[in-house]
């Protein structure tokens, strides 16, 4: 449902002064391989991340995946895990300080890379193997988001995450 630009709810949804921060970056050189933690990565317009086995087509909605550090901490708490690394959850970019779901239907920047929110990143059955029994359910609603790369560039640790301002 598209809201009127002047509706009170739309005005609330448009109020997003927060900025996030990239805290971790990972790529997988091969399918099912562990993620490699990197300090920075090249995002290729309408494709994916350099060095990641998944290079999407121009129409792919999953060119890059993002998850909130706050949600990683929550999943670790729910699963009673003392140690949960971002790579275990198989997402490319970890951010903190911004609600990724507030980016729904928006374009947003991660450093100098322009992304477009394309959907939720739902957990897969592998979470049972990685996190233990109940891992899939612990991740439900906390799996992050998927995005399309509209303008490529470099993404690095400590890059800011913020919405594209409408013109």
């Amino acid at each position: 449902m598209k809201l009127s630009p002047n509706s009170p709810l739309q005005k609330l949804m448009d109020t997003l002064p927060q900025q996030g921060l990239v805290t971790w970056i990972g790529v997988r050189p091969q399918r099912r391989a562990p993620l490699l933690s990197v300090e920075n990565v090249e995002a290729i317009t309408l494709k994916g991340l350099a060095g990641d086995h998944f290079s999407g087509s121009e129409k792919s909605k999953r060119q890059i995946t993002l998850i909130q550090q706050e949600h990683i901490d929550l999943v670790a708490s729910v699963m009673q895990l003392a140690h949960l690394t971002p790579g275990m959850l198989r997402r490319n970019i970890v951010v903190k300080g911004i609600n990724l779901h507030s980016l729904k239907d928006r374009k947003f920047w991660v450093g100098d890379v322009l992304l477009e929110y394309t959907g939720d990143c739902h957990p897969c059955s592998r979470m049972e193997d990685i996190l233990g029994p109940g891992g899939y359910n612990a991740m439900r609603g906390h799996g992050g988001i998927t995005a399309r790369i509209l303008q490529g560039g470099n993404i690095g640790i400590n890059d800011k995450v913020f919405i594209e301002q409408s013109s």
Side-chain angles (χ1 to χ4, degrees), residues 16 27-28 31 50 57 104 107 112 128 135 137 139 159:
L16 187 63
V27 295
R28 277 180 307 212
R31 188 173 189 269
S57 70
K104 184 175 182 179
K107 295 175 184 172
D112 62 354
E128 291 290 305
N137 278 320
M139 288 288 297
D159 277 354

Side-chain angles (χ1 to χ4, degrees), residues 8 71 84 90 108 167:
H71 287 178
L84 178 57
R90 312 192 62 73
F108 60 99
S167 22

Side-chain angles (χ1 to χ4, degrees), residues 21-27 35 38-43 49 52 63-69 72 86-87 89-96 100 108-111 113 115 143-145 147 149 154-161:
L21 194 67
V22 173
T23 62
W24 187 87
I25 302 167
V27 295
L35 272 82
V38 296
E39 291 292 313
N40 57 63
V41 68
E42 179 188 2
L49 299 178
D52 197 69
Q63 295 172 356
I64 187 171
T65 58
L66 300 94
I67 190 169
Q68 290 174 231
Q69 179 63 53
I72 294 173
L89 301 181
R90 312 192 62 73
R91 303 301 186 258
N92 298 120
I93 307 289
V94 177
V95 303
K96 68 177 182 179
L100 290 174
F108 60 99
W109 293 92
V110 178
V113 175
L115 301 176
I145 66 170
I149 302 168
N154 192 59
I155 297 174
I157 301 296
N158 293 323
D159 277 354
K160 290 190 178 355
V161 180

Side-chain angles (χ1 to χ4, degrees), residues 79 127-138:
M79 293 301 298
M127 292 300 106
E128 291 290 305
D129 298 330
I130 294 168
L131 302 175
Y136 174 84
N137 278 320

Side-chain angles (χ1 to χ4, degrees), residues 77-122:
S77 176
V78 167
M79 293 301 298
Q80 299 179 2
L81 297 172
H83 185 68
L84 178 57
T85 65
M88 293 169 71
L89 301 181
R90 312 192 62 73
R91 303 301 186 258
N92 298 120
I93 307 289
V94 177
V95 303
K96 68 177 182 179
I98 192 167
N99 179 354
L100 290 174
H101 290 287
S102 68
L103 303 174
K104 184 175 182 179
D105 300 325
R106 293 180 180 268
K107 295 175 184 172
F108 60 99
W109 293 92
V110 178
D112 62 354
V113 175
L114 181 61
L115 301 176
E116 177 181 45
Y117 178 106
T118 55
D120 292 337
C121 192
H122 301 289

